[in-house]
Amino acid sequence: MTKHREEGLAQTRVLIIDDEGDVCTFFRRLLSRLGYDVVTAENEPEAARALASHSFNVAMVDLKLPDTDGLTLLKKIKRQQPQCEVIIMTGYSTVKTAVTAIQLGAYEYLEKPFEDIDEIERLIDRAASYGTSISQGQTGDEEWADVASAVGFQVGRSVAMRQMVSLANKIAGKNINVLIQGKTGTGKEVLSRFIHAASNRSGQPFLPINCGALPENLLESELFGHEKGAFTGANQTRRGIFELANRGTLFLDEIGDASPLIQVKLLRVLETGEFMRVGGEKPLRTDVRIIAATNVDLEKAIAENTFREDLYYRLNVVRLEIPSLQERHEDIPQLAEFFTRQLNPDLKIAPATLDLLSRHPWPGNIRELSNTLRRAVVLCTGPVLLPEHLGGPLESRPAPAAAAARKTRSTSEGDSSVEEFWTHYGSEGVLEQMSDGQLQQMLHSLHGLEKSLVKVMARKGLCPEPQQGLRDRELETIRKTLEQHHWNITEAARTLGIGRNTLHRKIKKFQLRES
C-alpha cells in the first residue's frame, strides 16, 4: 500500500454495528490492517454514542439487531451524518428489506455469510470514495454511466429515473429476480439489458421472449423446448430458451399475459431450477436469472384470479418502476438528440422543435417519440429539423388570425406528409441502406401500428379486413420464413420448429415457389 493511500485511509472512519461480537472483531482487524479508523457498536445505545462522538465516512449496519433494526439506524445515520455512506449487512431471507434500505439511501447491501473478503474491501473503498466526492461537491459520472452508454440506455437527468437506475445497478450483481413495471414504450427491455450488462452474467446469453406474442402451445415449446415426436411436426428435438439461456439472463416481457398453465410451469422452474421439455420425461436443470416485465397491474390481476400470487412473489424480489416519458419530460431534448443522431448524424434540431417535443404528453412514451422522429427525419430535406417536419398534433398552434387559413390546408398537407413517408420507405433501395437494428425496429413499429389501426377502426365502427383462417396464417408464416432465410430449407425448418421433410410437404401443399 502506498504512503499516499495510507494517508487517505487514515482519514476514513468506519462504524460497524452488529450484535455479534465476532463480526465486530473480524471487521476491526480486517479494516484496521488496511489503514481505516474503526469504531464498533453491538447495540443501539452504543451506536448512538459513537455517532455523537465521531464523524464517519462509512457505516456497516446489520439489518437485524435485538433492540432495533437496520432501517431505523439507517434513517438516523443519514439524518445526523448525511455524508456517511451506509452498507446494510443482511441474510438472503431479508434481501427484499435490504433493497428497501437502498431506496431509503443506503449505498449497498452485503449478504451474509461473508465469502469474498476482497469484494468487501473494494465495496468499503468505493463507498468511502463516493461519500467523499459527494461531500466535496464533485458530481462526476455515476458508477453505472459506462454500462448504460454501452447498451444504448439513455438515462437522462430526471431524478426519479436516475434513482431507479442506481437501484438497478446495485441489484444487478445480485443473483435475484427482478420485476419491471411501466407503461408500454417506456423502455423495459432496454433496462433489462442494462441489468444483464451490469451483472456477473454479462458474458453469458441474454434472451428475451414476449409472453403475450405467442399462443400457449408455442410459448411452452419456446420456453422449455420439445422432444422429437412430442406433437405433429416435431421431427427433431429442440432446446427451449431456458436451456439456451443457462447461466445467463431470461427476459420475460408481458408476463401478465402468460396463461395459467405457463404460470404453473414457470413457478416450478423458479422454485426448483428444473423443467421438462414438452413430451419429455427427464427433468433438466437450469441456472437462469429471470427479469420479468409488464404494463399490467399484477396485484389487481391476482385479485381477479388471472395471475398466480405465488409466482408474483417469486418474480417480485425486486420491483423497478420506470417513469413514463411525461414524468421525465426534462429528458425529452436529450432523447430527441439521441434518436436524431442515430438516424442522421449531421441533422440538427431547431429550438422551436425541441420546445414542441417537450410540451407533448407522449402517451406512447419513448417508442412514440422514436417513431415520430424517424418520420420527421425522413421528411426533412435540409440541415435542421423544423416544427413542420413533425406533423400531426405536434405542429405548432398558429396565431388566431392564421388559424382559419391553416385549417383549410392542414388535411391535404397531412395526407401529403403521410404519402411521402410511405413512398420513401416503400423503396427497397432505402430499406437496403438501413442497419439491422433499424430494420428490426421498423418491423416492430409496423406490427404495433397494425394493432392500433384495428382498435381505432373498431371504435369508429369501421370493418377491417377479416382475420385470416388457420390455413392462411400457416401459409403466410411459412412463406415469410422461407423468404427470411432466402429459401434455405434447413434454416427455415429450424426456425419453424419442424423437420425438413415436413416443410417440403407444406411447400408442395401450398404450391409455394421461390420468387
Side-chain angles (χ1 to χ4, degrees), residues 49 52 88 92-93 138 244 347 356 459:
R49 287 194 292 271
I88 295 292
Y92 183 79
S93 61
Q138 300 172 5
L244 297 173
L347 191 61
L356 274 177
R459 283 200 297 268

Side-chain angles (χ1 to χ4, degrees), residues 89-106:
M89 297 182 287
T90 176
Y92 183 79
S93 61
T94 53
V95 163
K96 201 170 183 67
T97 309
V99 172
T100 301
I102 291 178
Q103 293 172 321
L104 292 173

Side-chain angles (χ1 to χ4, degrees), residues 253-459:
D253 198 8
E254 305 300 350
I255 187 65
D257 294 335
S259 69
L261 175 63
I262 296 297
Q263 291 180 37
V264 170
K265 297 201 170 190
L266 285 174
L267 180 62
R268 174 175 172 76
V269 180
L270 294 175
E271 288 178 338
T272 66
E274 294 183 343
F275 67 95
M276 286 196 294
R277 294 178 184 148
V278 178
E281 298 178 349
K282 178 183 175 182
L284 302 172
R285 291 201 62 81
T286 186
D287 172 21
V288 173
R289 185 198 197 155
I290 300 293
I291 302 177
T294 182
N295 58 5
V296 174
D297 185 342
L298 291 184
E299 293 177 351
K300 182 180 179 182
I302 291 170
E304 296 173 348
N305 293 320
T306 59
F307 199 83
R308 293 184 64 96
E309 186 173 13
D310 43 7
L311 176 59
Y312 172 73
Y313 289 120
R314 284 283 180 178
L315 295 171
N316 189 29
V317 179
V318 177
R319 179 164 63 182
L320 302 174
E321 296 191 19
I322 304 186
S324 66
L325 190 52
Q326 191 172 18
E327 293 170 321
R328 47 180 297 215
H329 61 88
E330 62 265 50
D331 294 335
I332 291 175
Q334 176 183 326
L335 290 166
E337 296 281 3
F338 172 75
F339 291 130
T340 303
R341 194 163 52 248
Q342 277 191 319
L343 299 164
N344 185 343
D346 300 324
L347 191 61
K348 305 299 181 185
I349 305 180
T353 307
L354 287 176
D355 181 61
L356 274 177
L357 293 171
S358 298
R359 289 192 282 113
H360 188 66
W362 299 111
N365 294 291
I366 295 176
R367 185 178 298 148
E368 182 188 358
L369 173 63
S370 172
N371 291 339
T372 297
L373 287 167
R374 179 179 298 279
R375 175 180 176 277
V377 169
V378 170
L379 297 177
C380 179
T381 57
V384 180
L385 197 64
L386 300 173
E388 52 262 33
H389 296 133
L390 299 176
L394 279 163
E395 286 183 300
S396 55
R397 294 181 179 177
R406 182 79 175 265
K407 185 176 181 180
T408 58
R409 65 174 187 269
S410 61
T411 302
S412 60
E413 287 180 350
D415 291 343
S416 175
S417 297
V418 172
E419 188 174 330
E420 288 178 34
F421 175 80
W422 292 117
T423 301
H424 180 83
Y425 280 114
S427 166
E428 290 189 10
V430 173
L431 297 175
E432 287 284 354
Q433 296 174 8
M434 296 173 65
S435 68
D436 293 350
Q438 289 173 333
L439 290 170
Q440 291 286 355
Q441 183 178 356
M442 173 164 280
L443 183 61
H444 181 76
S445 301
L446 288 173
H447 286 321
L449 177 61
E450 182 183 14
K451 292 179 182 178
S452 300
L453 278 171
V454 171
K455 288 181 181 178
V456 171
M457 291 174 73
R459 283 200 297 268

Side-chain angles (χ1 to χ4, degrees), residues 435-500:
S435 68
D436 293 350
Q438 289 173 333
L439 290 170
Q440 291 286 355
Q441 183 178 356
M442 173 164 280
L443 183 61
H444 181 76
S445 301
L446 288 173
H447 286 321
L449 177 61
E450 182 183 14
K451 292 179 182 178
S452 300
L453 278 171
V454 171
K455 288 181 181 178
V456 171
M457 291 174 73
R459 283 200 297 268
K460 291 189 172 185
L462 301 174
C463 295
E465 293 182 8
Q467 294 294 312
Q468 293 176 315
L470 288 176
R471 184 184 185 283
D472 292 336
R473 289 185 182 182
E474 183 182 20
L475 186 156
E476 186 68 10
T477 300
I478 292 173
R479 184 184 62 77
K480 286 182 177 179
T481 305
L482 286 166
E483 290 177 355
Q484 179 184 346
H485 292 288
H486 307 291
W487 277 76
N488 184 314
I489 301 298
T490 301
E491 293 297 326
R494 184 179 292 115
T495 299
L496 292 166
I498 60 178
R500 284 171 49 88

